[in-house]
Structure formats: structure tokens, C-alpha cells
Amino acid sequence: MQMTGIRRRHFLVGAAGTAGAIAAIGVEGLRSTAFAQDSTPLPDYVSWKDPDKLIVHSEQTLETKRGAIGTSGITPNDEFYIRNNLPPPGEDVVSDRDAWEVSFEGVSNPRTMTVGELKTLGIETVATVLQCSGNGRGFFEHEASGSPWTVGAAGNALWSGVPVRAVVDALGGVEDGREFMTSTGGETIPEGIDPKTVVVERSIPAEYATENAILAWEMNGEPIPRAHGGPLRVVTPGYYGINNIKYVKKIAFTETETDATIQASGYRIRPVGVDGAPDQPSMWEMKVKSWVTHPLMDAETGRVQIYGVAFGGINAVEAVEVSIDGGETWEQARFVGPDLGRFAWRPFVLAADIEPGTYTITSRATDSEGRVQEEVTEPNHRGYDYSGWRALAVDVTVA
Ligand SMILES: Nc1nc2c(c(=O)[nH]1)N[C@H]1C(S)=C(S)[C@@H](COP(=O)(O)O)O[C@H]1N2
Ligand SMILES: [Mo]
């Protein structure tokens, strides 16, 4: 691929905006602003994470920086995003991991099992993208409430645990008529609040759960950190983050979806200004999506490796194209490294010879069903489900 334009030396991202910002506050001001942002302290429960790779939106929301995502396919635990609806439980939940108890209901032989016992029933490892429903909210024009995530409320990890199928079999099978698997998080509910309004409890189709979900205790080769749901977490590959319940304490096969607020009216796709209701689409299946993670700034002229990540949501990703002219023309990119399976993301790369000039670089993925990443995502009230390649583009100037 050949890039042409006037002779300049370096990439600058959003050159006009950056120059404007420098003019407005001066170089010293800009430096101290950058310093203040970089030094936002990590909350205690994630003090072990890499502050240079994360944007701290709040105590409960940390985003991986776009440029931190490389080409080896796995997001390290210390760079992985964090999203909590409630403050996480205390360190004691991981003091004796194998003793953690989970109750199972809606099966022929309902009972409580420890993690130690679950570990005897079976082991599977799945690589999957975990992505917050609101990843990309910051690209919507309307002011949807919630964290203004750009691309970094997503990561790809290896999860190891027991398949839900194996547990269900050990408990005599799912009771007739139980259409949903409803999982409850182990947080302490604040006093004086109706638990239903805050409990992190989610229902997903039981058939999908028994085919694909695992109850995981390991993440990228380590016991799952408490911040990511240790000692035990539901991992539902292909489904949005909210359906991956951390520190899970109850799994019930139910006839209907839970009436917890987070399910009944929360995490629903609805027109802007409309209240949430159970008949609106729930944030379950993820869509095909990709984005460029390099170059973002300060690349030299000459040969550049344009790379990023692509995944198919509930389907495998099949192909990805890259455009350097804002979607006028596309070229096929090449996948990098091993294929970690249907639910994982795949790094991709396209080499380009960059002449000085201005480029709008973006990527467009296609899944195994032939679904192509959309150009624009229509607004919805809470700013969920963003995947449009036009706004995911980076403006790069070789200056
Ligand atoms: N128990 C519990 N599970 C939870 C949540 C939570 O607040 N409590 N947040 C959900 C949401 S909205 C997302 S996006 C993911 C975030 O997982 P992470 O913090 O490990 O990245 O966990 C999901 N599971
Ligand atoms: Mo989320």
C-alpha cells in the first residue's frame, strides 16, 4: 500500500486540536495537565495494575489505553479494563479460593458446591473478548449517561474453568421449562436499599449458557484476581461483559428472566429518551468489530505497520480490511499470530509506505457469517453496542 502527500516527518494525532489546546493553556499547562492525568492514582483494589496503560475514569471504571494493545493477542491482567456496578467485595473472598461456595438451583439435584468441588468436574479453557456494553459510548453524539469509554473497555483473555454443561450434568440436568440461566454476583448489598434495584444479577438463554459458558477460576495463567471476579466468575464467550458475573454466588436455571433492575430495564437497546423495559433487546450477543491501535501518533515517514484487533462477537472473525483514506478504498489486512478460536480477537496488520500527508485510518471486519462491521451505529439511549468504523478511525497527520 502506498501513501502519498506533502513531505513531512512525523505523525500527530488530531494535530489541529492538539495545537489549539497548546495555544490555549501553554506548553507548561499542557505538561502539568498530562502529568495530572497520568498520575491519577489507581484505586486500592487494583493497585497492582499498570497505571501507564490505563485511564482511570472513576473508582469503578478503568479503561485500557488504545495504544497499549499490541499484537500478541492477549490482554495482560495488569492492563485489563475494570467495570463495577457495585464496589467489589473485600480481600477475604480470595483468602481461601477453593472454599468459595456457589448454590445451584433449577436443576434436578439443587445444592451448594465449593470451587474445590467444581474443579473435580471438568476443565476447559476458552479465549474470549470481554467487552463492556458501553465500549464506544464516547463516540455517540447524544449525551448518553455512563462512562465515555472509547475502545478500551475491552480485552481478550484466556479463561480456565469448568463448563456449565459439566456442572449441570453432575446435578442431574436442568429442570423442564427453565429457559434462562440467572447468575448472581457476590457483592454486599448496601443497607437500606431494595436489593433488586442494585444487585448484579443477569439472565441469559440457558441453551447458550450450557453450550458455551464456563465457571472460571483462572485468567491468563493466574487465579482470577478479585477485581476480575475471583475466586469464581461466569464467562459467557461472545456475550457482553455484563453477562460475565464476577464472584458468582448463585446460579439458578429459571423460567423467566430475573426482575432485578439490571436485567428488567437496564442493559436494553432503546431509542434515546425512552425508558428501559423487558421487551427491548437485552445486551447479550456482541457484534463484529475491529479498531486500529497503531499508528496513533509520532510515526516516522516510510514503512509503517498498521495494526489493531478484530473479533466477530458470537461468531469467529473471518477477515479485516484497512483504509487509510477514511473508507474510500480498502485493502485486506493479514491476521497475526495463532487463531485462539471463535470468541477471541485476532490482531491484524497491514504494511504501508507512508508519504507525508493526512490520513484517516480505520478498519472493517467481517465475521464467519458474512456480517460486515457497520459504518455508523445508530444512537440508543444508554450508548451501548457501538461498532461503527467511521468514528473508530484515527486521524493521523505526517507533519
Ligand atoms: N458481580 C459483578 N459482576 C460483573 C459486574 C459487576 O459489577 N459485579 N460488572 C459487569 C460489567 S458491566 C462488565 S463490563 C464486566 C467487567 O469485567 P472486568 O471488570 O473484569 O473487566 O463485568 C461484569 N460482571
Ligand atoms: Mo459493562
Side-chain angles (χ1 to χ4, degrees), residues 81 83 85 131-134 149 240-242 267:
Y81 84 98
R83 160 71 167 124
N85 292 269
Q131 179 183 215
C132 187
S133 309
W149 310 105
Y240 274 108
I242 186 62
Y267 292 87

Side-chain angles (χ1 to χ4, degrees), residues 10 22 24 116 139 156 181 215 238 245 274 314 347 384 391:
H10 296 282
I22 293 170
F139 296 119
N156 190 47
M181 183 177 95
L215 306 183
I245 299 298
V274 169
I314 55 157
Y384 291 141

Side-chain angles (χ1 to χ4, degrees), residues 2 6 30 164 216 222 272 292:
Q2 194 71 27
I6 41 168
L30 186 72
V164 167
E222 296 173 4
V272 177
V292 166

Side-chain angles (χ1 to χ4, degrees), residues 224-244:
I224 300 181
R226 171 174 59 117
H228 289 296
L232 195 74
R233 172 175 208 168
V234 177
V235 171
T236 310
Y239 274 29
Y240 274 108
I242 186 62
N243 306 292
N244 295 254

